[in-house]
Amino acid sequence: MLPASIQVLQRGWLSSNGILLAGREGVTLVDSGYGDHAPQTLALLDHALAGRPLARLVNTHCHSDHIGGNRAVQARHGCRTTIPAGEAPLIDAWDEEALILGFADQRAERFGYDDTLAAGEVVRMGEHEWQAIAAPAHDPHALMFWSPEERVLIAGDALWEDGFGVIFPALFGDTHALAQTRATLDTIARLAPRAVIPGHGAAFDRVVPALERAYGRLEGFERDLSRHARHAVKVMIVFALLQKRRMPIATLPAYCASIGILQRINREFLGLTPEAMAAWLVEDLVRARAVAQEDGDLVPLIAA
Amino acid sequence: MSAPPAAAAPRGRGDVPSPCINVCRMNDATGLCEGCFRTLDEIAGWSGYTRAEKLAARARAEARKPAAR
């Protein structure tokens, strides 16, 4: 599916995939996984690099699961770091709300960068030239990378084989965000990739069905934004559970009340008491087989 | 970032799902991931495996798990 010079380090949900692109000018890594997993990320990198230096680290966007290993990778490899231009002010200020870090009980080590990429620019990564394409609105500043030669798209969280990342701006009052998300899907459809390397999950070549599924989900959210709000809350809770491995069910109401992003979404869309929110989450997530109850704890079920 | 409920976990129709359970910590003594029981080589190589190789890797990882407590 992919040229030999591109290797996908497929991770899970807590860590995004890392993509290694090897060429004459050196090896580039796209995205660095979650901070807690940095030791494994570094070990995988060492293994895959097999003695070659890592020349450059590029991020599709600056959420915790894509930048969490940046500092560690830089410290180990001394590589050049490139972020999307729109992220620069957020990284300069280390804006924990805009980056959805502390605001969502997520974390990443603060890092510096050497340069930025803007939509429309072309970057050489590995053996190919890649066009940087704006991919809002899961992250308003996210970039996808498109190789016209190989017809391969590095999509970040704009498109997975079954879904796409939460459209946070839509939940925070940005009335353009849903349209931007649709426009990003339209862009992907027009490019007609031969293969997509998503931020999570396996690389895939059945792109049209993936787009159809994505449009279907988006249509549901366009009809009823509160549906997306409920989806977002569930995603945040599952992410928290993956981090913590287990959470006493009795602490879930207080947890819901204490996390900024959950309360913001709750105030705007759900209007639930902490107890009601916790009860709904447990019921819904258990029914969806995303979590299980075990000795009074909530535990995540396999989410690979 | 996102972690959809398991029912919407990313998998192709007919694809062999990755055994990753988001623990992602290598054990120095065993050389295996403490979550999925794969070696570094198996994790790094996973995306390039054929379906048969993925099934075999999953079976090997499963066999490495400690006997049920």
Side-chain angles (χ1 to χ4, degrees):
Chain A
M1 198 190 307
L2 300 173
S5 62
I6 301 178
Q7 181 179 2
V8 179
L9 300 174
Q10 185 176 334
R11 310 297 288 283
W13 283 110
L14 221 46
S15 278
S16 69
N17 295 335
I19 303 152
L20 277 175
L21 302 105
R24 267 159 313 164
E25 286 139 46
V27 184
T28 299
L29 172 68
V30 176
D31 289 342
S32 67
Y34 193 67
D36 290 357
H37 298 164
Q40 190 191 66
T41 302
L42 291 179
L44 285 169
L45 263 181
D46 276 351
H47 184 85
L49 288 169
R52 296 168 299 170
L54 184 68
R56 191 175 196 176
L57 169 62
V58 176
N59 293 118
T60 55
H61 64 294
C62 292
H63 285 157
S64 63
D65 50 338
H66 295 255
I67 55 162
N70 276 24
R71 176 83 186 86
V73 169
Q74 289 168 347
R76 169 74 136 260
H77 293 281
C79 50
R80 173 182 175 192
T81 301
T82 303
I83 61 172
E87 307 278 16
L90 280 58
I91 297 297
D92 290 342
W94 200 251
D95 185 335
E96 293 251 354
E97 183 170 323
L99 291 169
I100 317 193
L101 293 175
F103 185 52
D105 196 20
Q106 295 180 19
R107 65 210 100 259
E109 275 196 280
R110 189 167 186 168
F111 64 92
Y113 57 93
D114 297 290
D115 48 38
T116 65
L117 271 172
E121 289 180 356
V122 175
V123 57
R124 182 166 196 89
M125 298 193 292
E127 310 235 315
H128 304 97
E129 303 285 324
W130 299 80
Q131 295 169 10
I133 300 176
H138 162 71
D139 178 310
H141 315 293
L143 295 175
M144 302 185 291
F145 298 105
W146 167 245
S147 164
E149 184 187 339
E150 290 290 340
R151 307 199 64 75
V152 170
L153 181 70
I154 295 171
D157 287 348
L159 180 68
W160 308 321
E161 189 153 26
D162 194 2
F164 47 80
V166 168
I167 310 166
F168 293 103
L171 302 176
F172 300 153
D174 183 342
T175 53
H176 302 292
L178 289 175
Q180 287 172 344
T181 301
R182 178 170 280 277
T184 296
L185 294 180
D186 291 344
T187 297
I188 298 172
R190 269 198 309 276
L191 291 172
R194 183 174 60 76
V196 172
I197 305 174
H200 303 267
F204 56 95
D205 54 13
R206 288 162 293 190
V207 181
V208 169
L211 280 166
E212 281 170 4
R213 282 189 288 275
Y215 279 120
R217 286 171 183 273
L218 182 59
E219 277 154 24
F221 300 145
E222 286 166 335
R223 277 194 299 274
D224 181 1
L225 191 54
S226 70
R227 190 165 153 176
H228 195 58
R230 288 191 295 277
H231 169 72
V233 169
K234 285 185 278 185
V235 164
M236 298 286 103
I237 293 292
V238 171
F239 196 95
L241 279 175
L242 290 175
Q243 262 185 119
K244 298 172 197 308
R245 312 282 178 81
R246 58 180 53 235
M247 190 188 299
I249 293 175
T251 65
L252 192 54
Y255 184 78
C256 289
S258 73
I259 302 303
I261 199 173
L262 298 179
Q263 275 315 300
R264 183 162 181 187
I265 296 173
N266 185 39
R267 268 198 312 273
E268 278 304 311
F269 293 96
L270 308 179
L272 297 170
T273 64
E275 291 71 25
M277 194 163 172
W280 157 64
L281 281 165
V282 171
E283 203 252 311
D284 203 298
L285 289 172
V286 167
R287 188 166 23 90
R289 297 183 52 229
V291 307
Q293 298 180 81
E294 206 177 86
D295 302 324
D297 288 344
L298 222 51
V299 296
L301 290 178
I302 294 167
Chain B
M1 92 307 297
S2 287
R11 59 186 69 162
R13 283 30 186 170
D15 234 12
V16 178
S18 157
C20 176
I21 59 165
N22 296 281
V23 169
C24 305
R25 190 172 55 232
M26 301 310 293
N27 184 296
D28 287 335
T30 64
L32 303 174
C33 175
E34 291 180 354
C36 69
F37 292 88
R38 288 179 292 173
T39 63
L40 265 184
D41 194 55
E42 288 167 339
I43 299 168
W46 178 267
S47 69
Y49 285 172
T50 63
R51 182 182 166 79
E53 286 168 335
K54 286 182 179 178
L55 288 167
R58 278 191 72 108
R60 284 194 301 275
E62 192 64 36
R64 293 177 190 131
K65 287 180 182 172
R69 297 168 206 88

